[in-house]
Amino acid sequence: MVELALSYDERGFVFLRDIAKREEISEKYLGQLIIPLRSAGLISSKRGAEGGYQLARPPETITVLEIVEALEGKVIIVDCLRDEALCQRASSCAAREVWKKLQEAIVRALGGITLAEVVRIAREKSQLSDYSI
């Protein structure tokens, strides 16, 4: 997603093989990640010589929470938060309330970080000093 954010409004569509090479990951693995990201409406694709992948929205409008949930599903740190019926003690469990507050904090934090901010942080860490967004 960072690679696509770097290309947003500049290079247009990017080939998976180029992203895989720059990120030093398998193109096959990257292809598996693309599917849920596209299904979630975070990226779009185009076939052909001028094709590839690009962000479906500006990086300033895509949150880390959206990316995580597209790839992993809803953020649920313990099963009883997904379904209270999984635990007989759920309605009286103090630990469940602690997990619920922690989960809410995680969701708030991830929802408060945009893809554009991740790119800025990476640049500050000197990983992407040659790129702009």
Side-chain angles (χ1 to χ4, degrees):
M1 291 297 285
V2 170
E3 286 289 333
L4 294 178
L6 291 167
S7 299
Y8 190 79
D9 281 340
E10 283 183 17
R11 294 178 266 171
F13 290 89
V14 181
F15 291 114
L16 280 187
R17 69 176 172 267
D18 296 333
I19 297 171
K21 184 177 179 181
R22 283 192 295 271
E23 291 295 317
E24 299 177 355
I25 59 176
S26 156
E27 186 176 344
K28 184 177 179 181
Y29 175 67
L30 187 57
Q32 293 172 346
L33 296 177
I34 289 295
I35 296 166
L37 293 168
R38 189 173 50 201
S39 295
L42 298 177
I43 61 172
S44 60
S45 61
K46 180 179 174 184
R47 293 179 186 251
E50 300 292 318
Y53 295 90
Q54 70 177 7
L55 294 180
R57 303 191 325 250
E60 296 81 9
T61 68
I62 297 173
T63 68
V64 173
L65 178 63
E66 290 177 284
I67 298 167
V68 168
E69 287 186 340
L71 296 172
E72 302 292 334
K74 291 286 184 188
V75 175
I76 303 289
I77 60 173
V78 291
D79 288 337
C80 67
L81 292 176
R82 177 181 300 119
D83 183 1
E84 194 173 312
L86 293 174
C87 178
Q88 297 172 0
R89 299 181 45 211
S91 63
S92 62
C93 180
R96 185 174 186 272
E97 293 305 310
V98 172
W99 295 131
K100 184 176 179 180
K101 287 183 181 197
L102 178 59
Q103 178 174 303
E104 290 167 354
I106 291 169
V107 167
R108 257 191 324 277
L110 293 175
I113 303 168
T114 67
L115 183 55
E117 187 175 347
V118 174
V119 171
R120 282 191 286 279
I121 291 167
R123 189 177 303 110
E124 289 171 7
K125 300 285 186 183
S126 299
Q127 294 174 357
L128 301 171
S129 58
D130 296 336
Y131 298 98
S132 62
I133 186 167

